[in-house]
Amino acid sequence: MFRYTSLLAAAMFLVSLFGVTSFAKQGLAEQKLFNGKDLSGWEHYLVEADAKMTDVWSVQDGLLVCEGEPMGYLCTKKEYKNFQLVVEWRWAPGSEPGNSGVLMRITGEPTMLPNCVEAQLASGSAGDMYGFQGFVIDGDPARKMEIPDHKLGGHLRGLTKIEGNEKDPGKWNRYEITAAEDKVTLVVNGKQVNEATGCDVRSGKIGLQSEGGVIHFRTVNIKPIAQ
């Protein structure tokens, strides 16, 4: 009886141990990159060297507000490689919608379009995907484009969306972006609109563009994926 009890206790200990280990490997908890209060954990780049971060980005009534000018981007101080990212955005009600983007795996020298992959946010084009400064993306040949000497993006590669699923300007939209090794998948308002394969795999920062037009963000959450 003693031996059976001891074996049972040992077995339960091993199950518990491996259960904890398995849980740790499955993935980390979701994190709020934007806390709704301030810009803690973020840094910036603007094409106008004298411009301040607060000239472009501010927190108003729990929303992250981007004025759209001067151009540049806000980015996390931390780097992420494989993740599930949720971004909720809208164009400021009553204003002209413009351009913006979600930048991922940002590395290298800061510039207007840094070395990264972008999930497009330009009004009417959410779901398009671009790789700037030589960042490699691949996918359906019928939707691919390539500009070796783009004025701002350097060696630019593009992959147009399968179909759009944006709401009218002024209404909230939801991006669900999954970057898993060399595959990046974009879902807009519950519908998959793009998938890139053969992407460059490395850790990099997450960014939000300032590129014309006042845009609001209310959610920027990330859940790292363990590989």
Side-chain angles (χ1 to χ4, degrees), residues 34 56-60 63-68 214-217:
F34 170 56
V56 183
W57 292 281
S58 62
V59 179
Q60 302 176 27
L63 302 179
L64 173 55
V65 177
C66 174
E67 300 297 334
V214 182
I215 187 170
H216 299 166
F217 300 93

Side-chain angles (χ1 to χ4, degrees), residues 160-192:
T160 58
K161 61 185 178 294
I162 300 168
E163 60 179 321
N165 198 38
E166 289 177 69
K167 297 180 182 178
D168 293 335
K171 295 184 177 180
W172 286 104
N173 293 278
R174 180 183 175 93
Y175 242 146
E176 296 174 70
I177 304 170
T178 302
E181 292 299 306
D182 70 337
K183 182 185 292 185
V184 178
T185 304
L186 306 183
V187 173
V188 175
N189 297 322
K191 178 184 289 186
Q192 182 171 319

Side-chain angles (χ1 to χ4, degrees), residues 73-84:
Y73 59 89
L74 188 72
C75 67
T76 59
K77 295 179 180 179
K78 292 184 178 180
E79 297 187 346
Y80 303 89
K81 180 180 177 182
N82 296 304
F83 51 81
Q84 295 172 329

Side-chain angles (χ1 to χ4, degrees), residues 15 47 50-51 66 81 86 118 123 130 144 160 165 173:
V15 169
V47 295
D50 295 335
C66 174
K81 180 180 177 182
V86 174
E118 178 198 45
S123 182
Y130 294 98
K144 286 170 58 177
T160 58
N165 198 38
N173 293 278

Side-chain angles (χ1 to χ4, degrees), residues 92-132:
S95 68
E96 188 71 20
N99 198 352
S100 183
V102 180
L103 309 180
M104 297 161 286
R105 294 178 175 172
I106 302 171
T107 61
E109 188 71 21
T111 183
M112 177 58 205
L113 300 179
N115 189 302
C116 68
V117 57
E118 178 198 45
Q120 181 65 266
L121 283 177
S123 182
S125 298
D128 289 349
M129 200 179 311
Y130 294 98
F132 302 130

